[in-house]
């Protein structure tokens, strides 16, 4: 598979999964959660809030060995915990279930 095919696979999984509301890919993780529906950051860029949970894929390593190309990714399922933390266990349970669903889909 090409890198583009792999990223498309993760994006399609995120789109089709009933619990996920977004997808991201990239070197840097920017999971800012604004307090308002829309705000302007100090640089003047408009930032739209993220609807959580999301699947975020970070490329870690690409190794070429003879005829084999190996990709390594860090896969993150991110969600928002209430300020008082009362839903932390529920959120952790849901995000782990999403990761189990991804593993089952990969198999």
């Amino acid at each position: 598979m090409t890198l583009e095919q792999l990223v498309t696979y993760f994006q399609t999984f995120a789109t089709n999964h009933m619990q996920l509301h977004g997808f991201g890919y990239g070197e840097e993780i920017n999971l800012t959660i604004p307090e308002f529906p829309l705000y302007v950051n100090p640089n003047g860029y408009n930032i739209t809030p993220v609807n959580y949970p999301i699947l975020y894929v970070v490329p870690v390593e690409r190794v070429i060995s003879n005829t084999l190309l190996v990709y390594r990714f860090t896969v993150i399922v991110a969600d928002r915990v209430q300020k008082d933390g009362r839903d932390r266990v529920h959120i952790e349970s849901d995000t782990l279930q999403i990761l189990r669903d991804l593993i089952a889909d990969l198999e």
Side-chain angles (χ1 to χ4, degrees):
M1 292 183 92
T2 67
L3 177 61
E4 185 173 4
Q5 289 169 325
L6 286 167
V7 172
T8 298
Y9 165 79
F10 285 119
Q11 186 171 21
T12 300
F13 175 84
T15 299
N16 293 335
H17 196 282
M18 293 181 69
Q19 289 177 281
L20 288 169
H21 298 290
F23 171 77
Y25 173 85
E27 301 290 335
E28 289 186 20
I29 302 169
N30 183 1
L31 302 176
T32 303
I33 305 172
E35 294 296 323
F36 303 101
L38 184 66
Y39 78 103
V40 178
N41 72 15
N43 296 325
Y45 299 108
N46 286 331
I47 298 177
T48 304
V50 176
N51 188 10
Y52 287 88
I54 66 164
L55 181 74
Y56 198 92
V57 178
V58 179
V60 174
E61 182 178 42
R62 296 162 193 95
V63 178
I64 299 174
S65 172
N66 295 328
T67 60
L68 185 64
L69 175 57
V70 177
Y71 297 97
R72 270 192 29 198
F73 300 98
T74 297
V75 178
I76 300 166
V77 176
D79 203 345
R80 184 176 181 176
V81 175
Q82 296 295 322
K83 287 183 181 180
D84 63 6
R86 68 177 182 252
D87 61 345
R88 182 173 304 279
V89 172
H90 175 76
I91 296 297
E92 188 173 350
S93 178
D94 283 356
T95 56
L96 288 170
Q97 182 58 53
I98 293 166
L99 287 170
R100 283 193 295 268
D101 294 344
L102 176 61
I103 291 167
D105 195 64
L106 287 166
E107 295 176 338

